[in-house]
Amino acid sequence: MLWNIDLTLLDVGQVMRAAYAEAFEKVTGEPLVYLTSAAGRTDSEMFFEFCARNYVDLEPDNEVLGDFLAALETAFAARHDQLLAKGRVMPGAAASLAAVASFPDTVQTVVSGSTRANATAKLVAFGLDTHLNLAVGGFGSVNYPKSSLIQSIRLHAAGEGGRVYAEEETVFITGSAPDVRAAMIGGAIPIAVLNGSTTEGQLREAGAQIVLPDLSDPRAVMTAVHQATAR
Protein backbone atom coordinates (compact mmCIF):
# COMPACT_ATOMS: atom_id res chain seq x y z
CA MET A 1 0.00 0.00 0.00
CA LEU A 2 1.64 3.19 -1.22
CA TRP A 3 0.75 6.75 -0.21
CA ASN A 4 1.71 10.06 -1.69
CA ILE A 5 2.51 12.57 1.08
CA ASP A 6 2.01 16.16 -0.07
CA LEU A 7 -1.62 17.17 -0.60
CA THR A 8 -2.67 13.57 0.04
CA LEU A 9 -1.76 13.02 3.70
CA LEU A 10 -0.67 16.55 4.63
CA ASP A 11 0.13 20.02 3.32
CA VAL A 12 3.33 21.88 4.26
CA GLY A 13 3.71 23.67 0.95
CA GLN A 14 4.38 27.07 2.47
CA VAL A 15 7.32 25.77 4.49
CA MET A 16 8.61 23.69 1.60
CA ARG A 17 8.61 26.63 -0.81
CA ALA A 18 10.69 28.72 1.58
CA ALA A 19 13.18 25.85 1.92
CA TYR A 20 13.39 25.48 -1.87
CA ALA A 21 14.16 29.18 -2.25
CA GLU A 22 16.89 29.16 0.40
CA ALA A 23 18.56 26.01 -0.92
CA PHE A 24 18.41 27.13 -4.56
CA GLU A 25 20.04 30.48 -3.88
CA LYS A 26 22.69 28.90 -1.70
CA VAL A 27 23.73 26.44 -4.43
CA THR A 28 23.32 28.61 -7.52
CA GLY A 29 23.88 32.10 -6.17
CA GLU A 30 20.65 33.18 -7.86
CA PRO A 31 17.20 33.82 -6.34
CA LEU A 32 14.42 31.33 -7.02
CA VAL A 33 11.90 33.59 -8.75
CA TYR A 34 9.96 31.10 -10.87
CA LEU A 35 8.69 27.92 -9.27
CA THR A 36 7.37 24.80 -10.98
CA SER A 37 4.59 22.38 -10.19
CA ALA A 38 5.54 19.78 -7.59
CA ALA A 39 2.71 17.42 -8.56
CA GLY A 40 4.14 14.02 -9.38
CA ARG A 41 7.69 15.38 -9.35
CA THR A 42 10.73 14.55 -7.25
CA ASP A 43 12.99 17.21 -5.77
CA SER A 44 15.72 16.00 -8.13
CA GLU A 45 13.53 16.64 -11.17
CA MET A 46 12.35 19.98 -9.84
CA PHE A 47 15.86 21.33 -9.26
CA PHE A 48 16.86 21.10 -12.91
CA GLU A 49 13.56 22.67 -13.96
CA PHE A 50 14.14 25.45 -11.42
CA CYS A 51 17.45 26.10 -13.17
CA ALA A 52 15.84 26.21 -16.61
CA ARG A 53 12.93 28.43 -15.59
CA ASN A 54 15.19 30.85 -13.73
CA TYR A 55 17.82 30.98 -16.50
CA VAL A 56 20.56 29.50 -14.34
CA ASP A 57 23.23 27.87 -16.48
CA LEU A 58 24.50 24.90 -14.47
CA GLU A 59 25.91 21.61 -15.67
CA PRO A 60 23.17 19.07 -14.86
CA ASP A 61 25.34 16.61 -12.95
CA ASN A 62 24.94 14.59 -9.78
CA GLU A 63 27.40 16.73 -7.81
CA VAL A 64 25.40 19.95 -8.04
CA LEU A 65 22.16 18.01 -7.48
CA GLY A 66 23.65 16.48 -4.34
CA ASP A 67 24.60 19.94 -3.11
CA PHE A 68 21.05 21.18 -3.66
CA LEU A 69 19.41 18.23 -1.90
CA ALA A 70 21.76 18.59 1.09
CA ALA A 71 21.04 22.32 1.27
CA LEU A 72 17.31 21.62 0.97
CA GLU A 73 17.37 19.20 3.90
CA THR A 74 19.25 21.76 6.01
CA ALA A 75 16.83 24.55 5.08
CA PHE A 76 13.79 22.38 5.77
CA ALA A 77 15.14 21.11 9.11
CA ALA A 78 15.72 24.73 10.19
CA ARG A 79 11.98 25.33 9.69
CA HIS A 80 10.81 22.28 11.62
CA ASP A 81 9.06 24.43 14.22
CA GLN A 82 6.93 26.00 11.46
CA LEU A 83 5.39 22.74 10.26
CA LEU A 84 2.53 22.55 12.73
CA ALA A 85 1.89 26.30 12.61
CA LYS A 86 1.88 26.65 8.82
CA GLY A 87 0.98 23.11 7.76
CA ARG A 88 -2.01 20.82 8.17
CA VAL A 89 -3.03 17.18 8.09
CA MET A 90 -5.59 16.29 5.46
CA PRO A 91 -8.97 15.31 6.98
CA GLY A 92 -9.08 11.61 7.80
CA ALA A 93 -5.44 10.91 6.93
CA ALA A 94 -4.47 9.44 10.30
CA ALA A 95 -7.66 7.39 10.60
CA SER A 96 -7.30 6.06 7.05
CA LEU A 97 -3.71 4.98 7.65
CA ALA A 98 -4.83 3.14 10.78
CA ALA A 99 -7.77 1.55 8.97
CA VAL A 100 -5.68 0.22 6.07
CA ALA A 101 -3.13 -1.09 8.57
CA SER A 102 -5.82 -3.51 9.78
CA PHE A 103 -5.74 -5.36 6.44
CA PRO A 104 -3.83 -8.64 6.85
CA ASP A 105 -0.48 -9.08 5.13
CA THR A 106 -0.28 -5.41 4.17
CA VAL A 107 2.80 -3.19 4.07
CA GLN A 108 2.15 0.55 4.03
CA THR A 109 4.78 3.01 2.87
CA VAL A 110 5.15 6.22 0.84
CA VAL A 111 6.16 7.33 -2.63
CA SER A 112 7.39 10.87 -2.12
CA GLY A 113 9.12 13.46 -4.26
CA SER A 114 10.86 14.73 -1.12
CA THR A 115 14.14 13.37 0.15
CA ARG A 116 13.96 10.63 2.76
CA ALA A 117 14.91 13.04 5.56
CA ASN A 118 12.35 15.69 4.59
CA ALA A 119 9.55 13.20 3.93
CA THR A 120 10.17 11.55 7.30
CA ALA A 121 10.24 14.93 9.07
CA LYS A 122 6.86 15.85 7.57
CA LEU A 123 5.21 12.61 8.64
CA VAL A 124 6.74 12.55 12.13
CA ALA A 125 5.75 16.17 12.80
CA PHE A 126 2.08 15.22 12.39
CA GLY A 127 2.32 11.74 13.90
CA LEU A 128 1.53 10.02 10.59
CA ASP A 129 4.53 7.69 10.56
CA THR A 130 3.07 5.14 13.01
CA HIS A 131 1.58 2.75 10.45
CA LEU A 132 4.18 3.30 7.71
CA ASN A 133 7.28 1.24 6.94
CA LEU A 134 9.51 4.05 5.71
CA ALA A 135 12.47 1.71 5.30
CA VAL A 136 10.97 0.45 2.03
CA GLY A 137 9.64 3.80 0.79
CA GLY A 138 10.52 5.63 -2.41
CA PHE A 139 11.95 9.13 -2.07
CA GLY A 140 13.26 12.01 -4.16
CA SER A 141 16.74 11.52 -2.72
CA VAL A 142 17.56 9.66 -5.92
CA ASN A 143 17.26 11.03 -9.43
CA TYR A 144 14.50 8.70 -10.63
CA PRO A 145 10.87 9.41 -11.58
CA LYS A 146 8.09 8.19 -9.31
CA SER A 147 7.22 5.34 -11.65
CA SER A 148 10.69 3.88 -11.05
CA LEU A 149 10.35 4.44 -7.31
CA ILE A 150 7.15 2.37 -7.30
CA GLN A 151 8.92 -0.51 -9.02
CA SER A 152 11.80 -0.28 -6.55
CA ILE A 153 9.48 -0.35 -3.54
CA ARG A 154 8.02 -3.72 -4.50
CA LEU A 155 11.53 -5.19 -4.62
CA HIS A 156 12.41 -3.72 -1.23
CA ALA A 157 9.15 -4.87 0.33
CA ALA A 158 9.83 -8.41 -0.86
CA GLY A 159 13.27 -8.27 0.70
CA GLU A 160 11.83 -7.10 4.01
CA GLY A 161 9.11 -9.71 4.38
CA GLY A 162 10.11 -12.42 1.96
CA ARG A 163 6.89 -11.88 0.01
CA VAL A 164 6.64 -10.69 -3.57
CA TYR A 165 3.86 -8.12 -4.11
CA ALA A 166 2.32 -8.28 -7.57
CA GLU A 167 1.24 -5.23 -9.55
CA GLU A 168 -2.44 -6.09 -9.12
CA GLU A 169 -2.13 -5.97 -5.31
CA THR A 170 -0.05 -2.79 -5.17
CA VAL A 171 -2.16 0.35 -4.58
CA PHE A 172 -1.02 3.99 -4.76
CA ILE A 173 -3.26 6.64 -3.15
CA THR A 174 -2.69 10.18 -4.41
CA GLY A 175 -4.41 13.40 -5.39
CA SER A 176 -2.13 14.11 -8.36
CA ALA A 177 -2.79 13.27 -12.01
CA PRO A 178 0.96 12.84 -12.75
CA ASP A 179 1.11 10.41 -9.81
CA VAL A 180 -1.79 8.45 -11.27
CA ARG A 181 0.13 8.15 -14.54
CA ALA A 182 3.26 7.12 -12.59
CA ALA A 183 1.24 4.37 -10.93
CA MET A 184 0.06 3.07 -14.29
CA ILE A 185 3.64 3.00 -15.60
CA GLY A 186 5.24 1.71 -12.40
CA GLY A 187 2.85 -1.16 -11.85
CA ALA A 188 0.39 0.00 -9.18
CA ILE A 189 -3.36 0.55 -9.07
CA PRO A 190 -4.13 4.24 -8.48
CA ILE A 191 -6.80 5.42 -6.08
CA ALA A 192 -7.27 9.16 -6.41
CA VAL A 193 -8.49 11.66 -3.81
CA LEU A 194 -9.77 15.17 -4.48
CA ASN A 195 -7.61 16.93 -1.91
CA GLY A 196 -5.93 19.40 -4.27
CA SER A 197 -6.84 21.50 -7.29
CA THR A 198 -6.94 18.53 -9.68
CA THR A 199 -10.44 17.74 -10.90
CA GLU A 200 -12.10 14.33 -10.92
CA GLY A 201 -12.13 14.42 -14.70
CA GLN A 202 -8.37 15.02 -14.85
CA LEU A 203 -7.73 12.16 -12.43
CA ARG A 204 -9.93 9.76 -14.39
CA GLU A 205 -8.36 10.84 -17.68
CA ALA A 206 -4.95 10.04 -16.18
CA GLY A 207 -6.14 6.50 -15.42
CA ALA A 208 -7.83 6.51 -12.01
CA GLN A 209 -10.94 4.33 -11.97
CA ILE A 210 -11.60 5.00 -8.27
CA VAL A 211 -11.81 8.61 -7.07
CA LEU A 212 -12.65 9.54 -3.48
CA PRO A 213 -13.75 13.04 -2.37
CA ASP A 214 -11.15 12.93 0.43
CA LEU A 215 -9.88 10.61 3.19
CA SER A 216 -12.43 11.66 5.80
CA ASP A 217 -14.28 8.32 5.64
CA PRO A 218 -11.83 5.50 6.51
CA ARG A 219 -14.45 2.88 5.65
CA ALA A 220 -14.74 4.31 2.14
CA VAL A 221 -10.95 4.18 1.84
CA MET A 222 -10.89 0.54 2.94
CA THR A 223 -13.69 -0.29 0.48
CA ALA A 224 -11.79 1.42 -2.32
CA VAL A 225 -8.63 -0.56 -1.56
CA HIS A 226 -10.61 -3.79 -1.48
CA GLN A 227 -12.30 -2.99 -4.79
CA ALA A 228 -9.00 -2.04 -6.42
CA THR A 229 -7.24 -5.25 -5.43
CA ALA A 230 -10.22 -7.59 -6.00
CA ARG A 231 -10.30 -6.98 -9.75
Side-chain angles (χ1 to χ4, degrees), residues 144-226:
Y144 296 114
K146 281 192 172 182
S147 56
S148 296
L149 296 180
I150 291 170
Q151 294 170 337
S152 177
I153 287 172
R154 282 206 310 275
L155 295 175
H156 290 159
E160 285 279 315
R163 183 192 187 295
V164 177
Y165 291 88
E167 293 184 5
E168 58 269 20
E169 57 182 348
T170 304
V171 175
F172 184 22
I173 297 185
T174 181
S176 156
D179 274 354
V180 170
R181 288 190 286 270
M184 304 294 288
I185 296 169
I189 302 167
I191 294 177
V193 290
L194 294 170
N195 278 345
S197 59
T198 307
T199 66
E200 180 175 352
Q202 290 170 326
L203 292 167
R204 291 194 182 279
E205 184 179 0
Q209 296 187 25
I210 300 175
V211 181
L212 300 173
D214 51 35
L215 300 175
S216 60
D217 183 353
R219 287 184 177 274
V221 175
M222 293 178 71
T223 298
V225 173
H226 178 74

Side-chain angles (χ1 to χ4, degrees), residues 104-140:
D105 200 23
T106 298
V107 175
Q108 287 194 101
T109 190
V110 297
V111 182
S112 174
S114 294
T115 66
R116 180 183 294 272
N118 287 351
T120 301
K122 294 174 187 180
L123 294 164
V124 170
F126 292 96
L128 296 178
D129 59 311
T130 305
H131 299 291
L132 295 167
N133 182 348
L134 299 180
V136 298
F139 304 95

Side-chain angles (χ1 to χ4, degrees), residues 5 12 53 71 75 83 110 114 119 188 205-206:
I5 296 178
V12 292
R53 289 178 61 85
L83 293 179
V110 297
S114 294
E205 184 179 0

